[in-house]
Every structure is written in structure tokens, then in C-alpha cells.
Amino acid sequence: MAKTPREIAEKILDDNLVGTMATIEGDKPHTRYMTFFNNNFTLYTVTSDHTHKVEELSKNPYTHILIGYDGKGFGDEFLEIEGKVEISSEDSMREKVWNKMLKPWFSGPDDPKMVVLKVTPSQIRLMNTKGEDPKLVEF
């Protein structure tokens, strides 16, 4: 049975932790690789509160994320996610996303410089589905 765009998108988010996240610096885009944690299409990523992206997002909270392309060819499905970012230093949020992969950068979930970027999507498009047009994902 054919999978729905939502099912394909869920699998892409489950199988891919790293994607690109774009912010705006002045009037120009700035993109960097980030590690994302998915919770029912809300994405979370962790960073230091002293980074350019935190400064950029505090001025313009909108982002564009690409995730899922694995470089095998033109048939690779991936997601384009447009969303709004909330910057959180709440203890409960930091506990929720903490994992051992973060140890090189932070002492623990109570590290005062650690912040969580919560991305609430406004639109998710499933791209590159075997030459078909992009599909909107219902979430």
C-alpha cells in the first residue's frame, strides 16, 4: 500500500537527525547544519545562547529547514519545513532534549549557556518524490 505524505515525512524525520537551518542576518540568509529532535512534527535543536543564530532568531523568528536528502541521487525524498522558532531556556525543555551527543558542548541539561530552539512548522513540503510535484504534509 502506498504511504501517505505524512507517513513518508515521519519516516524522514525519524531517520535523519541532521538538516540545514536558515535564519536571516540583516537582510541576507544564513544557513548552518543542526541536529533536530522530532516530536510530532515540532522540531527541537540545541545551541549556545551566545551564537549568531540566537541573535538572528531574536530579531526574526522565522526559519527554513531542509532535512532528509542523503545524497544518493535525484530520487531522494526530503522535507522543506517553514516555521517559527521559540528560544527556550526552561529546565523542562532542556531535560526533554538532553542526550549524550550534546556532552562535547554542554556540561548537562542545567548548563546555563544551553538553549533549546523549538520550531513550530507553518508548512511542510515533501520534495523529490520520484519526479512528482511537491506534496504538502498534513500535520
Side-chain angles (χ1 to χ4, degrees):
M1 180 181 350
K3 292 185 177 183
T4 66
R6 180 187 173 99
E7 290 169 329
I8 297 168
E10 286 172 335
K11 180 163 179 23
I12 289 171
L13 290 172
D14 288 345
D15 292 350
N16 297 274
L17 295 178
V18 177
T20 64
M21 179 180 198
T23 57
I24 300 297
E25 183 177 11
D27 61 353
K28 296 182 177 147
H30 187 117
T31 303
R32 74 270 294 156
Y33 286 104
M34 301 291 290
T35 302
F36 295 97
F37 309 94
N38 171 41
N39 183 5
N40 199 27
F41 293 104
T42 298
L43 300 180
Y44 299 88
T45 188
V46 175
T47 192
S48 170
D49 62 350
H50 288 50
T51 60
H52 289 293
K53 71 185 116 354
V54 169
E55 182 181 333
E56 293 158 8
L57 289 165
S58 65
K59 293 176 185 172
N60 181 339
Y62 295 97
T63 189
H64 188 266
I65 295 168
L66 296 176
I67 193 165
Y69 183 81
D70 61 14
K72 290 183 183 160
F74 290 113
D76 292 348
E77 295 170 321
F78 64 95
L79 300 178
E80 286 189 357
I81 302 171
E82 295 175 19
K84 189 171 183 182
V85 179
E86 293 173 56
I87 302 166
S88 174
S89 57
E90 291 176 23
D91 290 342
S92 62
M93 187 74 72
R94 296 190 312 183
E95 287 284 344
K96 180 177 185 169
V97 299
W98 177 256
N99 67 68
K100 65 183 179 188
M101 291 188 319
L102 298 173
K103 283 184 181 179
W105 295 278
F106 304 103
S107 60
D110 56 350
D111 189 321
K113 67 180 186 270
M114 180 179 143
V115 294
V116 178
L117 305 179
K118 176 184 177 185
V119 181
T120 303
S122 55
Q123 185 177 75
I124 300 175
R125 286 183 301 279
L126 175 62
M127 306 296 292
N128 222 16
T129 52
K130 315 277 185 286
E132 297 176 22
D133 289 337
K135 294 178 176 56
L136 285 179
V137 176
E138 301 292 328
F139 52 92

